Amino acid sequence: MASRSPWPSVTTKTASHPTPDGMGNGLFALEDVKVGEDVVHATVPFVAVLDSPRLDDTCAGCFGRKQMGTTGADLKACTGCRTVKYCDRACQSKDWKFAHSMECPIFKDLKPMVLPNNARALLRMVLRTGRNKYGSDELAVFSNLETHIHDIEQVQAQLDRITLTAKAVSNYSKSEMNAEAMTAYAAKLDLNSFNLTTALYDRIGLYLHPYAALINHSCDYNATVGFDGEELFVKAIRPIKKDEQVFISYIDTTTPKTVRCRELKERYYFDCKCAKCTADDNPQEKQFSEHKEALEIVERNALELMQSASAEDSKPEETIQNLEAAMHLLHQTSSWPLTRQPYASIRDQLIVSLLSAGNFSRAFMHAAIRYLRVDPVIYDAAHPIRHIHAWILAKLAIFLSQSFQSDPADPVPLQDFGINFHFILWYILADLASRQLESCTVPSFRRLVAANFAQVHNEFKANGIDPSTAKPLVSKEWSKLERLVQVALDKE
C-alpha cells in the first residue's frame, strides 16, 4: 500500500535512502509496482510558475487543467497586478492563498516589466519561506538537495544568471534571507526543477517538488514524469521490483551516447554510469563510428537546416522546405535509420510546422510514419509521448474524415489511397482506450481519450456498424495506411 510520507500532499510507493554507488540519495520502491501505476503522486508543488509567453493564455491557478479540451478560454487577469490570469474565482482564490497575495504588489510595482520564470519561481519560494508557508518536512528535504555551487562557479554564464536572479529577488522581496542562502535557493531551483507541461505534454512552465527531485537519472529509466494541472505524477514505465531504485530521464535519451553523456555532464555535473551508457555500443553505433567523419558532416548540415527552420524570421513555407531538405539529406544516407536522431526530431518539428501552416494531409502522413515506424522503436509501449503522438494522429484523422482536402503540392496525394479515415480514427482511439490503465499518461488525458472513443464508437453504432466486430473492414483500411507510409518513405 502507498505511503503518505514525507508530507500529506505526497502519496508514494517509495522511500529515500543512499544509493549503492555513493551518488547521494535516491528513491527505492517499497513494493512491486506495475506498469502505469503511480510511483509518486504530489498534489501540491513546492513551487510552480508559468513561462512568460504562457501568462496570457494559461490559467495560473489550475495550469490549464480546466482549459483541457476547450478552445479560446476567456481568462480574467488579476485586477491588482494584471500579470497573471485565471479561469474563474476558484482558481484565483487558490493561487492567492498559495502565493499570489504576497507577489501581487511586487508585480504591480514592476509593471510593465515581467520577471522571467526562474525569478518568479525563486520569488515565490523566498516569500513562502519568509511567511512560514512550507512545512518543516518540506524544507528539510529541500535543504538537502544538491546545489553543485562549486561546479556552477566554473561556468561563468550559469553563475552570472543565478547570482543576478538571486540579487534581483532579494531586492524585490525585501527578504531578510542572506545572500548565500538566496543563491543556494536559486541554484537548487536551477538544477532540480522539472519542465511543467500540460496533460498533452506541451511545456508551459517550470515546477519543483523536493521529494520528486530525489529521483536519480538513468538513460535506461523505469519511470516517467507527467503533470495534470499542479499535480505531479511519476509513473512506472516498466515493472519495478520491491527495493529497486526508481529512475527518470533528465534529458532526451533517444540521442546517441556521446550526446547524452555530454549534456548530462554540462547540465547536471555527473558522468552517467547507467546500463545503457556502460554497455557496448550497439551495431548501429559501431557502424556510425566507422564512418564518423562523413556522417558528422551530414548531421551538421541537417542540423543547420533544422536551425534555419527555427529562425524567428523564417516564413512557414521556408520552414517546411528546410525541414524536408534536412530529412532528405539524412534519408539519402543509407546507414541513417528513421529512428536515429536528429531524424526523429526533425519529423516532429515538421509535423508541428505543417499543422501551423494548415497542411493537415501532409501532417497526417508524417504523423502516420511516426506512429508506425518511429515511436515503436524509440519509446516503450507505455511511454506518454507515444500515446500523445497517437492522439495527434487521431485528431488529424478526425479532421480529414470531416473535411478532406488534398494539397496539390503534396508529394504523396492521400486521395490516391482511398483511405476511410473514420475506421483509422476508430482503431487509434480503441487502441489508446484499451491501453490507458497501463500507460503513463495522466488522468485528464485518459478521460479525454475515453470520451472521444465513446463518441466515435457510438456514432458508428448509430449508423449500424460496430467496428469491434468488423475486423476485415478495419484491417483493410489499416493496410492502406501502411502502404501510404511506405510510399511516403520511399519519396523522402
Side-chain angles (χ1 to χ4, degrees):
M1 181 175 292
S3 73
R4 297 285 299 181
S5 62
W7 49 80
S9 65
V10 176
T11 304
T12 180
K13 295 179 179 178
T14 66
S16 171
H17 55 77
T19 62
D21 55 10
M23 297 295 288
N25 288 331
L27 295 189
F28 293 79
L30 292 170
E31 60 186 82
D32 290 350
V33 186
K34 297 178 182 178
V35 173
E37 288 185 343
D38 293 347
V39 181
V40 176
H41 175 207
T43 58
V44 181
F46 193 78
V47 69
V49 298
L50 294 169
D51 291 336
S52 296
R54 304 309 298 263
L55 290 170
D56 285 331
D57 63 17
T58 307
C59 174
C62 70
F63 296 107
R65 178 156 55 183
K66 291 182 181 178
Q67 298 169 258
M68 184 80 166
T70 64
T71 56
D74 185 20
L75 301 178
K76 304 296 183 183
C78 169
T79 55
C81 64
R82 311 295 298 179
T83 300
V84 293
K85 295 183 177 181
Y86 303 102
C87 294
D88 50 36
R89 287 187 178 276
C91 286
Q92 184 176 18
S93 176
K94 179 169 69 68
D95 194 40
W96 184 263
K97 292 176 183 177
F98 184 81
H100 191 58
S101 59
M102 297 177 280
E103 69 189 5
C104 185
I106 298 173
F107 288 173
K108 184 178 181 180
D109 289 342
L110 287 173
K111 274 292 192 180
M113 183 180 77
V114 175
L115 294 174
N117 59 4
N118 61 329
R120 283 184 279 112
L122 180 59
L123 177 63
R124 281 199 157 200
M125 290 162 59
V126 169
L127 292 172
R128 295 194 83 230
T129 300
R131 298 285 184 88
N132 297 315
K133 294 290 187 178
Y134 291 121
S136 58
D137 291 334
E138 290 179 282
L139 285 175
V141 177
F142 177 72
S143 66
N144 287 325
L145 294 179
E146 287 281 356
T147 64
H148 282 284
I149 196 66
H150 297 300
D151 294 309
I152 291 172
E153 286 173 349
Q154 307 305 313
V155 185
Q156 194 62 45
Q158 186 179 16
L159 178 63
D160 289 345
R161 184 181 71 250
I162 288 173
T163 303
L164 289 172
T165 300
K167 286 181 178 179
V169 168
S170 178
N171 180 49
Y172 299 141
S173 66
K174 296 180 174 55
S175 170
E176 295 180 359
M177 186 180 292
N178 63 51
E180 183 179 358
M182 186 78 72
T183 301
Y185 262 50
K188 289 175 183 180
L189 175 68
D190 199 60
L191 286 169
N192 296 285
S193 60
F194 294 92
N195 290 328
L196 176 63
T197 64
T198 67
L200 294 174
Y201 270 71
D202 294 323
R203 176 179 166 123
I204 56 173
L206 60 83
Y207 179 108
L208 174 64
H209 197 288
Y211 192 72
L214 294 174
I215 307 176
N216 287 314
H217 165 86
S218 172
C219 298
D220 191 27
Y221 53 95
N222 54 18
T224 62
V225 178
F227 295 92
D228 199 349
E230 67 177 359
E231 295 185 46
L232 172 144
F233 292 86
V234 180
K235 292 178 176 289
I237 199 167
R238 299 173 190 166
I240 302 175
K241 296 293 185 182
K242 181 182 179 181
D243 298 325
E244 184 180 350
Q245 187 173 180
V246 177
F247 292 104
I248 59 174
S249 63
Y250 294 178
I251 59 169
D252 179 2
T253 59
T254 65
T255 57
K257 175 182 173 180
T258 54
V259 177
R260 299 195 310 270
C261 290
R262 182 176 66 249
E263 186 175 351
L264 288 168
K265 184 66 173 178
E266 292 177 353
R267 178 71 180 85
Y268 297 100
Y269 306 107
F270 69 87
D271 297 310
C272 190
K273 306 289 187 183
C274 76
K276 188 173 180 179
C277 287
T278 55
D280 291 336
D281 287 339
N282 60 41
Q284 183 186 104
E285 290 305 312
K286 287 183 177 179
Q287 182 181 12
F288 268 76
S289 63
E290 292 169 1
H291 304 88
K292 184 178 179 181
E293 292 185 7
L295 291 170
E296 281 182 346
I297 293 173
V298 173
E299 183 177 27
R300 186 164 57 249
N301 292 337
L303 289 172
E304 287 176 357
L305 286 166
M306 191 177 180
Q307 290 168 358
S308 297
S310 302
E312 290 185 7
D313 59 349
S314 180
K315 297 179 181 178
E317 300 82 7
E318 294 174 348
T319 297
I320 293 169
Q321 288 172 3
N322 282 328
L323 292 171
E324 288 179 334
M327 289 175 58
H328 183 66
L329 192 63
L330 295 174
H331 185 71
Q332 285 182 314
T333 307
S334 58
S335 56
W336 206 298
L338 295 172
T339 54
R340 191 182 195 276
Q341 297 291 13
Y343 208 153
S345 292
I346 294 172
R347 192 181 307 280
D348 289 343
Q349 190 173 334
L350 178 59
I351 292 169
V352 172
S353 298
L354 287 167
L355 288 171
S356 299
N359 194 321
F360 300 111
S361 56
R362 282 163 75 185
F364 176 86
M365 179 185 72
H366 286 287
I369 293 172
R370 181 171 67 182
Y371 178 87
L372 289 172
R373 301 294 183 86
V374 180
D375 285 357
V377 177
I378 65 177
Y379 295 117
D380 286 277
H383 202 291
I385 295 299
R386 189 165 171 181
H387 289 242
I388 298 302
H389 287 172
W391 172 254
I392 291 171
L393 183 61
K395 296 293 286 184
L396 283 164
I398 290 175
F399 182 85
L400 294 177
S401 68
Q402 295 172 343
S403 176
F404 175 66
Q405 289 184 337
S406 182
D407 189 321
D410 286 354
V412 181
L414 256 63
Q415 69 268 20
D416 291 354
F417 296 84
I419 297 173
N420 185 319
F421 294 104
H422 293 90
F423 281 106
I424 298 298
L425 167 62
W426 180 90
Y427 177 86
I428 297 169
L429 289 177
D431 184 56
L432 274 176
S434 68
R435 294 192 289 132
Q436 284 308 292
L437 287 179
E438 293 187 350
S439 82
C440 291
T441 51
V442 298
S444 285
F445 180 79
R446 295 181 180 188
R447 289 193 292 269
L448 191 65
V449 168
N452 277 263
F453 174 64
Q455 180 181 349
V456 170
H457 189 70
N458 289 336
E459 287 176 359
F460 266 106
K461 294 189 76 171
N463 287 288
I465 303 172
D466 184 353
S468 60
T469 60
K471 188 174 180 180
L473 286 175
V474 177
S475 297
K476 180 181 178 181
E477 298 307 317
W478 204 253
S479 295
K480 294 177 184 178
L481 185 67
E482 291 271 11
R483 189 163 63 88
L484 165 67
V485 165
Q486 187 56 57
V487 170
L489 286 173
D490 290 341
K491 287 184 176 290
E492 267 186 18

